[in-house]
Amino acid sequence: MAILQRKERVSDEIPTASMADIAFLLLIFFLTTTVFNEEKGLPIVLPEAEQEEVDVSAKNLIFFLVQPDGSVVVRRGESEQEQVVASSQIEDLLRAELAANENLIAAIKTNPQAAYRHMIAVLDEVKLAGAERISLQMLEE
Amino acid sequence: MAKRGGFNRKSSASEEIPSSSMADIAFLLLIFFMVSTVFRKEREVPIDWAQAEATEKIDEKRKNILHLWVDEEGQVFINDQLVPHESIAGVVRPIYADNRQLVVAIRGDRDVPYSQINSITEQLKQAGAVRVTFATRIEQRVQRARR
């Protein structure tokens, strides 16, 4: 670009040197306000409301009765025998039962005074054991 | 390399690392954050989260999830409003009617008595919103063994 006459030495372009600064400032704003979606939990599908009682053969049922102190009474549908276990033993127990009978339904009945975390602990164990048929109910007194 | 008798003119190329692409990088990062930022739409209720090892990521679009907070005393908050237990079905039914893919995330405090949770699930069954998630934090296996 041959300069024939020496006019002003001031450039006629808008200085874009601060563009990077503005970009960084906006970046820092978004960095500090971004929260990533943290939806996690134990999914379950509740039964529909007006369902008639489904006839389930007793041998396909295993009950986990959650007591107020967090201990669990296991009752197998057919034998009526009860067994008190700690919640951490449920996974192995249920895994063995499921290996024997894959149509087994795990019914978790929780005492109304039991804390939510006890039900979650049992539901956690039941899910870890790989059960797909789970029923959640409240234990009637 | 003894050209010119060892006297070499200093190269006229600049020795600095070109930082002209810094603005480009900044803009690219900016665009990433602008696209991924979602502003929070509801107030968080302070609760003591329950923990479970089987916690899984709920793969559902943000707009299909309804958060139902239950604090220690059993009070239920939906969309920042305190809802008495009997009215939960009334509040959830129109939301479910609008969006059949609705998933209700029950964010309950770990010490809530189960009777409260049960009344909530009964209300949800009445409203027809049967896809439910019990929101939990992930728990490591070692912590679980010590439970």
Side-chain angles (χ1 to χ4, degrees), chain A residues 26-27 30-31 34 39-47 49 91 110 112 114-117 121 124-125 136 138, chain B residues 33-34 37 52-56 58 65 67 105 107 109-112 114-115 125 130 132-136 144 147:
Chain A
L26 280 171
L27 178 64
F30 280 105
L31 265 171
T34 291
E39 203 64 53
K40 7 184 232 260
L42 305 172
I44 198 159
V45 181
L46 304 172
E91 186 196 346
T110 315
Y116 176 53
R117 64 178 191 276
D124 184 21
E125 299 280 329
L136 275 182
M138 186 157 78
Chain B
F33 280 106
M34 276 172 75
T37 289
E53 193 185 330
T55 300
E56 49 188 80
I58 306 301
I65 299 178
H67 295 148
R107 298 185 161 186
D109 184 286
R110 59 203 309 264
D111 296 314
V112 178
Y114 187 71
S115 51
K125 283 192 221 176
V130 291
V132 160
T133 297
F134 292 107
T136 51
R144 181 167 74 96
R147 226 196 264 143

Side-chain angles (χ1 to χ4, degrees), chain B residues 81-131:
Chain B
Q81 294 221 318
L82 177 61
V83 181
H85 284 233
E86 318 78 55
S87 325
I88 293 175
V91 172
V92 177
R93 203 175 284 123
I95 303 176
Y96 179 65
D98 263 341
N99 182 0
R100 308 289 287 194
Q101 303 295 318
L102 191 70
V103 171
V104 180
I106 297 180
R107 298 185 161 186
D109 184 286
R110 59 203 309 264
D111 296 314
V112 178
Y114 187 71
S115 51
Q116 310 274 11
I117 303 288
N118 191 63
S119 86
I120 292 167
T121 53
E122 288 299 317
Q123 288 286 314
L124 287 176
K125 283 192 221 176
Q126 295 290 323
V130 291
R131 294 176 72 196

Side-chain angles (χ1 to χ4, degrees), chain A residues 8-20:
Chain A
E8 329 135 349
R9 297 226 239 115
V10 183
S11 158
D12 54 354
E13 288 175 351
I14 303 166
T16 53
S18 47
M19 208 158 70

Side-chain angles (χ1 to χ4, degrees), chain B:
Chain B
M1 206 177 90
K3 258 187 170 174
R4 299 198 199 118
F7 294 98
N8 298 319
R9 195 192 307 162
K10 199 167 159 206
S11 161
S12 57
S14 165
E15 300 161 331
E16 291 170 353
I17 302 167
S19 55
S20 54
S21 46
M22 206 155 70
D24 287 331
I25 295 169
F27 277 116
L28 279 165
L29 279 171
L30 177 64
I31 287 167
F32 168 74
F33 280 106
M34 276 172 75
V35 164
S36 63
T37 289
V38 187
F39 291 104
R40 208 183 309 193
K41 284 192 188 138
E42 60 174 10
R43 222 175 297 148
E44 265 195 8
V45 174
I47 59 168
D48 224 343
W49 292 79
Q51 293 185 315
E53 193 185 330
T55 300
E56 49 188 80
K57 185 169 184 298
I58 306 301
D59 219 347
E60 193 64 57
K61 294 202 187 90
R62 205 163 183 260
K63 61 178 169 74
N64 292 338
I65 299 178
L66 178 69
H67 295 148
L68 195 151
W69 300 87
V70 193
D71 72 1
E72 231 177 349
E73 292 142 31
Q75 293 185 304
V76 174
F77 296 89
I78 301 178
N79 290 332
D80 285 337
Q81 294 221 318
L82 177 61
V83 181
H85 284 233
E86 318 78 55
S87 325
I88 293 175
V91 172
V92 177
R93 203 175 284 123
I95 303 176
Y96 179 65
D98 263 341
N99 182 0
R100 308 289 287 194
Q101 303 295 318
L102 191 70
V103 171
V104 180
I106 297 180
R107 298 185 161 186
D109 184 286
R110 59 203 309 264
D111 296 314
V112 178
Y114 187 71
S115 51
Q116 310 274 11
I117 303 288
N118 191 63
S119 86
I120 292 167
T121 53
E122 288 299 317
Q123 288 286 314
L124 287 176
K125 283 192 221 176
Q126 295 290 323
V130 291
R131 294 176 72 196
V132 160
T133 297
F134 292 107
T136 51
R137 291 268 181 263
I138 194 131
E139 178 179 43
Q140 305 301 325
R141 186 162 270 265
V142 245
Q143 286 174 290
R144 181 167 74 96
R146 276 192 223 124
R147 226 196 264 143

